[in-house]
Amino acid sequence: MAKAKQPQLPKPKKKLRKRNQVQKGKNGGTLLVLVEDVLHVGRQGDLVEVRPGYARNYLLPQGLATIPTAHNLQQLERYKIRVTQMKEARIADLKAIAEQIIRTRSVTIESHANENGHLYGSVGAVEITKALRGKNLLVEADMIRLETPIKECGIYSSIRIALGFDIESNIEVVVIPETAARR
């Protein structure tokens, strides 16, 4: 009895999992897409070519860059949209604070002074910030732009407040001696 040969069915192909291979640039470096702004490298969303060690040891582990795949590029676009929405919301908040500062017009600060009106210390950004926070205005000390500290009692008009994103406002600061305020 002769055995009949059965036709052999082709073996099913193995599904090969494609690895995210790091692409090489024209200068032999590694191509990456920046997730964040990196000083001296590029801005968020840029396709940059960096040295392989810099990519492998710093940019990728810190989450500052990703390998440029279709999925990663799509996620980066979504992230950019969220960042711009948050930036627009922050600008709207800062404009509202600037309007409140304009409506407030002036703040009064009490400070220790001698009979001539010379302050024993000085009034700086911290004291102005405390006075503004007393009026429910959320201003930080680094936002206040003083040319020199205030060392005399008096009225100081046009103290500049830089809120950020090129939004500025001015306020008048009135410095009075603490003894006059208690009377």
Side-chain angles (χ1 to χ4, degrees):
M1 283 206 209
K3 287 188 176 177
K5 280 193 168 184
Q6 294 180 354
Q8 289 203 354
L9 298 172
K11 290 184 180 179
K13 290 185 178 178
K14 267 189 170 179
K15 279 190 172 179
L16 294 176
R17 189 163 180 240
K18 195 173 179 184
R19 287 180 50 198
N20 288 337
Q21 293 289 334
V22 178
Q23 298 175 3
K24 298 288 182 187
K26 61 182 176 184
N27 295 324
T30 303
L31 287 178
L32 296 176
V33 176
L34 294 178
V35 176
E36 300 285 332
D37 292 348
V38 180
L39 189 65
H40 304 298
V41 177
R43 300 192 52 82
Q44 179 186 30
D46 289 349
L47 181 67
V48 296
E49 181 178 352
V50 295
R51 304 288 295 257
Y54 185 56
R56 185 177 52 247
N57 296 325
Y58 180 69
L59 293 176
L60 292 172
Q62 295 291 326
L64 299 173
T66 61
I67 298 169
T69 62
H71 176 72
N72 288 346
L73 293 173
Q74 190 177 34
Q75 279 187 329
L76 185 65
E77 290 302 317
R78 287 189 199 136
Y79 178 73
K80 278 183 178 180
I81 291 169
R82 276 200 324 258
V83 166
T84 56
Q85 288 173 346
M86 288 175 18
K87 181 179 175 181
E88 290 170 359
R90 179 71 178 148
I91 289 172
D93 291 343
L94 292 175
K95 285 182 180 178
I97 291 172
E99 290 175 12
Q100 289 176 348
I101 290 171
I102 290 170
R103 277 188 258 127
T104 301
R105 293 191 182 140
S106 70
V107 291
T108 304
I109 299 174
E110 300 175 5
S111 185
H112 295 289
N114 62 13
E115 304 83 33
N116 300 331
H118 187 76
L119 301 179
Y120 287 118
S122 65
V123 174
V126 175
E127 290 80 12
I128 296 172
T129 302
K130 286 179 185 176
L132 288 171
R133 287 199 176 191
K135 295 194 175 203
N136 292 328
L137 296 171
L138 300 175
V139 176
E140 299 295 325
D142 59 344
M143 295 177 177
I144 296 173
R145 304 288 185 243
L146 283 174
E147 294 166 11
T148 58
I150 299 171
K151 297 191 177 211
E152 298 283 329
C153 292
I155 299 172
Y156 297 89
S157 60
S158 69
I159 300 294
R160 194 169 58 102
I161 301 173
L163 298 171
F165 296 106
D166 296 331
I167 299 171
E168 293 185 359
S169 185
N170 289 326
I171 195 159
E172 182 178 272
V173 176
V174 179
V175 180
I176 59 173
E178 196 172 70
T179 56
R182 291 185 182 173
R183 289 181 196 168

